[in-house]
Amino acid sequence: MAPPSHSASHLTNASAPNNCFTVDTPHCLLDPGEFRRQGHQIIDFMAGYYAHIEDYSVSPKVTPGFLRSRLPAAAPSQPEPDALAAALNDVRDLILPGITHWQSPRHFAHFPASSSAVGALGEALAAGLNVVPFTWTASPAATELEMVVVDWLGKALHLPETFLFAGGGGGTSCEAILCTLVAARDRKLAEVGEGRIGDLVVYCSDQTHFALHKAAHIAGIRKANCRVVPTRREEDSFALSPAALGAAMREDVDAGRVPLFLCATVGTTATAAVDPVAELCAAAAPHGVWVHVDAAYAGAAFICPEFRHLADGVRAADSVSTNPHKWLMANNDCCALWLKRPSALVAALGTDRDDVILRDAAADKDGDGAVDYKDWSVTLTRRFRALKVWLVLRCYGVEALRGAVHEHVRMAALLEEMVRADARFEVAAPRRFALVCFRLRPPEKFCGEKAAANELNRRLLEAVNATRRGPYMSSATVGSQYLLRCAVGSTLTEERHVRDAWKVVQDHGAALLREMHGTTPTPPQSVTI
Amino acid sequence: MAPPSHSASHLTNASAPNNCFTVDTPHCLLDPGEFRRQGHQIIDFMAGYYAHIEDYSVSPKVTPGFLRSRLPAAAPSQPEPDALAAALNDVRDLILPGITHWQSPRHFAHFPASSSAVGALGEALAAGLNVVPFTWTASPAATELEMVVVDWLGKALHLPETFLFAGGGGGTSCEAILCTLVAARDRKLAEVGEGRIGDLVVYCSDQTHFALHKAAHIAGIRKANCRVVPTRREEDSFALSPAALGAAMREDVDAGRVPLFLCATVGTTATAAVDPVAELCAAAAPHGVWVHVDAAYAGAAFICPEFRHLADGVRAADSVSTNPHKWLMANNDCCALWLKRPSALVAALGTDRDDVILRDAAADKDGDGAVDYKDWSVTLTRRFRALKVWLVLRCYGVEALRGAVHEHVRMAALLEEMVRADARFEVAAPRRFALVCFRLRPPEKFCGEKAAANELNRRLLEAVNATRRGPYMSSATVGSQYLLRCAVGSTLTEERHVRDAWKVVQDHGAALLREMHGTTPTPPQSVTI
């Protein structure tokens, strides 16, 4: 619970008691001079955080209730003197020791949530301008910048031109899977009749993110009609088989059900497996199924020439989405969606009601190409996210982002080599992108005992994550096998962090094996890569 | 299109060409020193914007395509030297002249999107920490601060204790109407059978925000089963009548349909009308209908003792939501939802699948009261919004927020008096909170001609909004009557802005009347308030 020892020095310039500013009317809350003073305070605080982020345990050692029990039960009536400095002291002493430090160079869990100076500051600028661009008129530049940026990003990621505004498609930032599923549902119900919602079937693999199931459930698709096609390690490396998909669809059709939607994944959550999108589209086409490609994590990699073929592969799909906040330095949150036929989205999510706010603010649609983004997403309220993505692309350039992805993949490949070079470990699924999945091999006497092997690796992860100033990784269970996941991709991660992380894994692995053997095993041949 | 004339001076410190920083590896993208330098640049830019915001036309004079045509078709490969300064010059020259300035003290359109220094900086801090608190474990302090802050806010707004964590309920920030509707749907389908989704009926008034219709549509409710109860100006001032609601529900039950969900509104979009929530709850109760109270705008006013009875009124409802970004200085976006029984939400939106990321990160649920907020909303990805709301409450205190709401209501009441004091105008709907709806009376010879009166007022709004450095208002059409809406609530609005705005309306109104009369009318008696 105690904050790192350096905190007293690196973050305390926040507490200089120089605030004699008082709020007596609302407009004081946005006084430019006070904003400037407080703004510099926040920036210095954040810069101090980044400079000392390695001092924090990536995952906090706290128990539920640790923070709630230390904060008052109600908001103060009146602020303290220099309340922002006091609040920042609380951030330093109470909150920072309690967050998971996703920006730590030792954060290898889940997928990255990458950050950059310009990404963070772009969010700050958007928050400060504080526009609500639900329609073109409600903030023209915000809408148009979003149109520009989705095309910029789509081009940088080598998406087929048909997904860009420039090619007759278009994109936005929204809840991609839910929105496209509702668009697909409406298109299909218009064809087969509104009453048949109970017959609609959604397809995915057993590796598809649960977001698909949640979206289907929200959209009124029966749970029994979510068809989960099993994947196999040996044959397909956990990718969805087009043959199995085709068979499932035929079976549904034969039973009188209506195939609706396929969520294919490029870069699954567990192992970053890649579904064969082109072949899946071919299998789905005879049934008029909407194919959405979820490339939440791996879409970022399309920026590199070596992964460009994956972008080509989505050519026959209806829609594709990725999260620039995961691996394109664009700070949480931003989900980018591209579609070939945005009109289907607007038909499902648009409103034709004569609403007060919308009549004033609706775009003049006379062929000018302006869009009202409220009709492209669930919520009316939206933020000016495009500003941050534009700043990131503009200020770093495509080459720097490509370089970052490339460097993370290089470091992951290095880790993979180190795993292969240590006979005590195995690479548990083919490395994809910058995700390495590995496990500790159990001692020979336990071979064939899956549960024991899984338990060994569960203990390994626990030990690794409990290491003081150690790496933080996560796990997956695929094909009943528990494996450790190391996702390289935090902005601050350098090769030394990856090497250090592997050393920690090796040390704990060795200790666990010693314990299992009851004797000290022969030290493995050490290989330096 | 041209930027305001001051722009060369107040925003150009951004262009000091002092950047010799280069990005050669990913970690340079988050270099603390460079972050500090760029951060101060952004803060100074924003402070300059606030200081000169009155120089901008609130609504930009641009046409669709104005920005897209001026930006390159693709992102740069390499950044320019000191790219952030160059980008900020583009923000100044291209983007600021093209946004609607929601923070302008002359923004009176729609509802406010209020901002504060600490609200904006709280967003910046959250963006910089860049955690993804989808579960308690994924960032414990972010989850716990959200739990603390929804209780703080609920108390400040005088919500019944049953809606707070402290009283057995709880809250979060999410897509409130959609999430509660799905929870209600699942609860009801469990009772009547999954196959009856086509029989479920949702209720609202003709003044309810279209968000309800969109949510119902997304959730698979038939369009024909969205029951829109008409309101009347004379009897109910556009509030939903409990008797009419009860009759509609009985009719549906008699026809074999299943009443599901009522969205009552406190502060409707058009006129800020207040539905009689307690009576509506009583009418809905016999049918087991989930009552959600949408107080998106007016919920902020519950903070004042004089509006506290409205908070008491939600006692019998199932859920209530408000947008602190509208009128509580918490910057876009933040929708706060409170429920008496969060378990219904979790049952609908939670996942029990054995997902990789979630198993590692799921909270230990053994009675510790920790929650996994991914199960309370549509998306898995979420931002650390609580930080900003906490900072606003902590740094300004409840009294200052109360004072701001109170002051805005006072200014709106003053405007209402000024409207009443000018015989050429009429107050078109009772003033509620800080929204004044008014219209220009047509000359006597047009009396009874609704269309002519509406056209007159449409032209009035057009003229007012086209005024150089004039106010920006919006309109509504209720009961076939077109009216102008003036929503006081921008943080920077002072009494002088309201008085100036009214003067602009009067001047344009007089000109239009002169034009209609064909003669100069007798000057009205001028009353200064």
Side-chain angles (χ1 to χ4, degrees), chain A residues 224-308:
Chain A
N225 285 2
C226 287
R227 204 67 65 234
V228 179
V229 180
T231 59
R232 286 161 303 186
R233 177 195 312 267
E234 294 70 23
E235 273 174 70
D236 305 307
S237 300
F238 304 113
L240 175 56
S241 149
L245 176 76
M249 287 184 173
R250 279 189 303 276
E251 194 177 311
D252 281 319
V253 170
D254 290 347
R257 291 181 290 263
V258 181
L260 169 66
F261 188 88
L262 164 66
C263 183
T265 308
V266 176
T268 61
T269 311
T271 63
V274 177
D275 290 342
V277 176
E279 293 81 354
L280 292 169
C281 288
H287 305 289
V289 162
W290 182 302
V291 181
H292 177 74
V293 179
D294 172 11
Y297 160 65
F302 296 0
I303 205 168
C304 298
E306 62 269 35
F307 295 115
R308 187 179 171 153

Side-chain angles (χ1 to χ4, degrees), chain A residues 294-327:
Chain A
D294 172 11
Y297 160 65
F302 296 0
I303 205 168
C304 298
E306 62 269 35
F307 295 115
R308 187 179 171 153
H309 64 283
L310 296 174
D312 292 335
V314 309
R315 194 169 297 277
D318 294 274
S319 50
V320 53
S321 59
T322 191
N323 291 350
H325 68 247
K326 280 200 167 69
W327 201 14

Side-chain angles (χ1 to χ4, degrees), chain A residues 1-5 7 56 61-62 70 92-93 97:
Chain A
M1 262 310 297
S5 57
S7 63
Y56 291 90
K61 310 301 179 230
V62 295
R70 295 181 68 173
R92 179 195 68 201
D93 298 338

Side-chain angles (χ1 to χ4, degrees), chain A residues 340-366:
Chain A
K340 280 184 192 158
R341 281 172 294 275
S343 57
L345 202 65
V346 175
L349 300 174
T351 172
D352 50 3
R353 289 191 66 240
D354 185 21
D355 274 281
V356 49
I357 286 199
L358 304 173
R359 242 232 308 222
D360 282 333
D364 174 2
K365 299 290 203 318
D366 296 345

